[in-house]
Amino acid sequence: MQARVDPDLCTGCELCVTTCPEVFEMEDDKAIVKTDSVPAEAMESCRQATEECPVEAIIIEG
Ligand code: SF4
């Protein structure tokens, strides 16, 4: 499973970084994905972050 953030949609609210710090981090005023693939132990929190993103900027693939 891989995740990515659409930088055109992300508002930089930091919610995903709080929910799933294993995968997301802030870079300047946007969230970015810091892992090539989502670690098994972070899949649930990554899915939660995706559902919680207020602008649906997180895309999960695979
Ligand atoms: S929750 Fe969504 S809008 Fe907020 S920082 Fe993460 S990707 Fe950006």
Side-chain angles (χ1 to χ4, degrees):
M1 185 170 108
Q2 293 178 318
R4 61 188 173 90
V5 174
D6 184 335
D8 293 331
L9 294 176
C10 176
T11 61
C13 73
E14 301 191 26
L15 188 58
C16 57
V17 179
T18 302
T19 301
C20 185
E22 298 90 344
V23 173
F24 301 97
E25 66 182 3
M26 297 305 293
E27 186 177 83
D28 298 326
D29 59 348
K30 304 280 183 182
I32 61 165
V33 172
K34 63 181 183 181
T35 58
D36 286 338
S37 62
V38 177
E41 66 274 15
M43 282 188 182
E44 191 174 331
S45 60
C46 185
R47 286 201 178 93
Q48 183 183 343
T50 303
E51 289 172 10
E52 288 177 349
C53 175
V55 292
E56 299 185 9
I58 302 170
I59 300 109
I60 286 182
E61 297 167 330

